[in-house]
Amino acid sequence: MRYDFPVDRLIAGFKHQKKLHYGAVLSKLWLGRCADQLGPLPDALIPVPIHWRRRLQRGFNQSIVLANDLGNALNIPVYHAVKHPRATHSQQGLNAAARRKNLHHAFAFLPSADVKNKHLAVIDDVVTTTATANTMAAILARNGAARVDIWCLARTP
């Protein structure tokens, strides 16, 4: 769906200019566009984690903000099932092969997370090459998730 205003500028402002109130707007836009197309709702939402240094630099994790907004609106719990223990370069500007290499061992499953036999939705702001989405889905599937969907605000062409 195309909007009459630049959604990419909302996303950039939210993610890179600390305009947290844009997150609520983006969540509402996403729900307005996608809520009737979701099918069976997942058992939990899993935000894509960021490394603690990036979170300190940015001041927040945009995926957690989105997951909390969507979880509250849809009455779905948010699980923190994956951590990002290894600092990596930003994925922006990298090609698909470099993105996959950059994510090698970047994420780790948190054994305390109860994902066995659950339908989960990974929450991310933007999907570009699917490297992050595929990595997250693989980790969750390896640890027993029955189904993993990817929910994002935008998909780059």
Side-chain angles (χ1 to χ4, degrees):
M1 172 177 203
R2 293 224 177 260
Y3 293 98
D4 292 333
F5 54 92
V7 174
D8 58 330
R9 288 179 52 199
L10 281 176
I11 294 170
F14 170 52
K15 187 172 180 176
H16 300 297
Q17 298 168 359
K18 298 182 181 177
K19 295 183 178 180
L20 291 174
H21 59 285
Y22 284 12
V25 172
L26 289 162
S27 295
K28 285 180 182 154
L29 287 171
W30 188 91
L31 282 165
R33 175 67 174 110
C34 298
D36 61 339
Q37 302 171 27
L38 293 178
L41 291 178
D43 299 310
L45 305 179
I46 312 290
V48 172
I50 59 176
H51 189 265
W52 67 267
R53 285 189 195 128
R54 183 150 301 129
R55 185 173 178 157
L56 186 64
Q57 176 186 38
R58 188 173 289 155
F60 65 101
N61 176 339
Q62 69 280 2
S63 296
I64 291 174
V65 171
L66 295 170
N68 287 337
D69 286 349
L70 296 172
N72 286 334
L74 297 169
N75 198 30
I76 302 171
V78 175
Y79 289 2
H80 297 278
V82 179
K83 63 181 178 175
H84 196 310
R86 188 174 71 83
T88 55
H89 296 289
S90 172
Q91 293 284 83
Q92 273 186 304
L94 299 179
N95 66 28
R99 284 172 183 252
R100 284 189 301 275
K101 183 177 179 183
N102 191 40
L103 292 178
H104 189 66
H105 297 299
F107 297 119
F109 182 74
L110 294 169
S112 60
D114 178 20
V115 301
K116 290 218 185 297
N117 301 314
K118 297 214 169 150
H119 173 190
L120 307 171
V122 171
I123 306 299
D124 204 357
D125 57 343
V126 178
V127 171
T128 302
T129 63
T130 71
T132 300
N134 288 336
T135 300
M136 290 285 296
I139 288 169
L140 294 166
R142 269 196 312 271
N143 285 280
R147 174 178 166 177
V148 180
D149 298 336
I150 308 300
W151 292 4
C152 65
L153 293 174
R155 171 75 198 259
T156 59

